[in-house]
């Protein structure tokens, strides 16, 4: 697909509108003139839209501060699509109790939401609505639509934006069990980001299966005074007990310290792939 400097930025996200992923997409778009937001039914579909050049970038959840890595995103990056991380965003996860306008909420019998949101509000639900039944929906936005459709004696758990989009009533704000809850989203594209001076690099590697192999690799980063901010092991899908390591570290791949460390450690590795260097997201 031919692009021009005047084409709107095409941004794929896990839909529908009103989800936290859409919130991250809007934040990423910033002041971009008239971005084109395209909702997809899955993380995989939104990432594949980038690979097929149907869109320019995809916003996908990468990890949650409470639940850890998002497996679907990691598997896409590692095993399926040769895309880069060009940016990241961190979104605080704030859940609201939402109902249809003017609905009878004197007794809540059913609460709708995405399974992850229900899990993140489980203690709240048990305390406030011990007799209510929970029902899972495909998204938090769909939960609000369902609550509006049913009307009386039901509610939904979703972000504020879902309530605004559906003209629903917010009954309570900040009902998540842990207010430290946040999700890190990454932006997938065909290229990563130029250096900004405050960057992060994500890379994938594997080592020989022998004692001390991983320690020797990590020592190269320590000797170069490079901070590793995250390390995740994922199955290599080759044989049982074979793993790949996905790490985040401070710095851009073109920074001399990191570039030299990568050059020194490469002989220790069976495989090395830079997933991307990109600006660090500000902490919420």
């Amino acid at each position: 697909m031919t692009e021009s400097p005047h084409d709107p930025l095409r941004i794929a996200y896990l839909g529908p509108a009103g989800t936290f992923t859409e919130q991250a997409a809007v934040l990423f778009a910033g002041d971009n003139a008239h971005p084109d937001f395209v909702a997809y039914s899955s993380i995989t579909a939104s990432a594949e839209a980038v690979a097929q050049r149907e869109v320019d970038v995809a916003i996908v959840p990468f990890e949650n501060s409470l639940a850890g890595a998002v497996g679907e995103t990691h598997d896409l990056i590692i095993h399926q699509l040769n895309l880069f991380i060009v940016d990241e965003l961190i979104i605080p996860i704030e859940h609201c109790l939402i109902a249809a306008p003017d609905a009878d909420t004197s007794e809540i019998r059913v609460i709708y939401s995405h399974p992850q949101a229900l899990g993140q509000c489980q203690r709240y639900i048990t305390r406030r609505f011990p007799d209510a039944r929970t029902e899972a929906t495909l998204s938090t936005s769909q939960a609000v639509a369902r609550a509006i459709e049913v009307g009386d004696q039901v509610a939904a758990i979703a972000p504020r934006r879902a309530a605004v989009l559906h003209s629903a009533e917010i009954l309570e704000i900040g009902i998540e069990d842990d207010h430290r809850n946040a999700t890190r989203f990454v932006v997938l594209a065909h290229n990563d980001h130029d250096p900004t001076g405050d960057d992060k690099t994500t890379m994938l590697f594997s080592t020989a299966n022998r004692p001390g192999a991983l320690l020797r690799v990590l020592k190269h980063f320590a000797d170069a005074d490079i901070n590793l901010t995250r390390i995740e092991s994922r199955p290599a899908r080759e044989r049982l007990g074979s793993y790949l390591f996905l790490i985040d570290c401070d710095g851009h791949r073109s920074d001399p310290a990191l570039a030299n460390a990568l050059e020194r450690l490469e002989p220790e590795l069976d495989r090395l792939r830079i997933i991307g260097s990109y600006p660090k997201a500000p902490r919420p």
Side-chain angles (χ1 to χ4, degrees):
M1 184 177 294
T2 304
E3 301 175 13
S4 79
H6 302 292
D7 288 333
L9 183 66
R10 298 161 298 177
I11 304 174
Y13 71 94
L14 174 62
T19 62
F20 287 108
T21 309
E22 190 220 19
Q23 183 180 335
V26 172
L27 179 62
F28 172 73
D31 296 330
N32 186 274
H34 308 298
D36 184 9
F37 296 106
V38 186
Y40 286 84
S41 60
S42 68
I43 294 172
T44 298
S46 60
E48 287 181 340
V50 179
Q52 299 299 322
R53 300 189 183 274
E54 298 172 6
V55 296
D56 300 307
V57 299
I59 314 294
V60 295
F62 195 68
E63 62 173 324
N64 179 264
S65 59
L66 303 182
V70 178
E72 184 178 355
T73 300
H74 281 64
D75 290 342
L76 278 170
I77 291 173
I78 294 171
H79 298 293
Q80 299 182 44
L81 300 177
N82 190 26
L83 297 175
F84 290 87
I85 299 176
V86 68
D87 210 340
E88 67 170 1
L89 308 102
I90 298 174
I91 303 293
I93 303 302
E94 180 190 65
H95 292 298
C96 301
L97 188 69
I98 299 169
D102 303 321
D104 177 8
T105 56
S106 58
E107 182 180 7
I108 301 296
R109 295 183 180 273
V110 183
I111 298 176
Y112 303 104
S113 197
H114 186 275
Q116 191 171 38
L118 291 172
Q120 292 169 354
C121 301
Q122 187 58 55
R123 292 199 305 271
Y124 165 85
I125 295 170
T126 301
R127 184 181 70 253
R128 288 277 284 109
F129 307 103
D131 298 323
R133 183 179 80 254
T134 59
E135 288 194 13
T137 56
L138 294 176
S139 70
T140 51
S141 186
Q142 185 188 72
V144 176
R146 178 65 174 152
I148 291 175
E149 177 185 349
V150 175
D152 294 338
Q153 299 182 329
V154 302
I157 292 176
R160 296 189 199 203
R161 180 166 170 78
V164 173
L165 290 173
H166 291 279
S167 301
E169 180 181 358
I170 296 177
L171 304 178
E172 290 189 55
I173 294 173
I175 65 172
E176 62 277 0
D177 293 333
D178 193 324
H179 300 301
R180 298 167 298 180
N181 192 5
T183 295
R184 175 186 173 202
F185 294 85
V186 296
V187 184
L188 300 181
H190 286 279
N191 302 101
D192 61 356
H193 205 286
D194 292 333
T196 68
D198 188 21
D199 300 302
K200 179 186 291 185
T201 294
T202 296
M203 66 188 75
L204 177 74
F205 66 85
S206 62
T207 66
N209 188 11
R210 59 175 181 264
L214 179 59
L215 176 62
R216 285 191 292 274
V217 170
L218 299 181
K219 190 174 184 300
H220 284 291
F221 292 102
D223 291 343
D225 199 29
I226 294 170
N227 184 38
L228 300 184
T229 58
R230 179 175 181 265
I231 182 166
E232 178 91 15
S233 63
R234 305 292 297 180
R237 295 185 177 180
E238 296 168 353
R239 62 187 180 278
L240 187 64
S242 177
Y243 289 91
L244 301 170
F245 297 97
L246 192 70
I247 70 169
D248 294 338
C249 68
D250 289 342
H252 194 278
R253 58 181 169 76
S254 65
D255 294 344
L258 181 53
N260 291 336
L262 292 174
E263 184 177 351
R264 289 195 302 273
L265 67 83
E266 195 159 2
E268 308 277 358
L269 304 177
D270 290 342
R271 174 183 177 185
L272 173 65
R273 176 181 158 211
I274 304 299
I275 306 295
S277 292
Y278 47 93
K280 288 182 187 177
R283 293 294 166 182

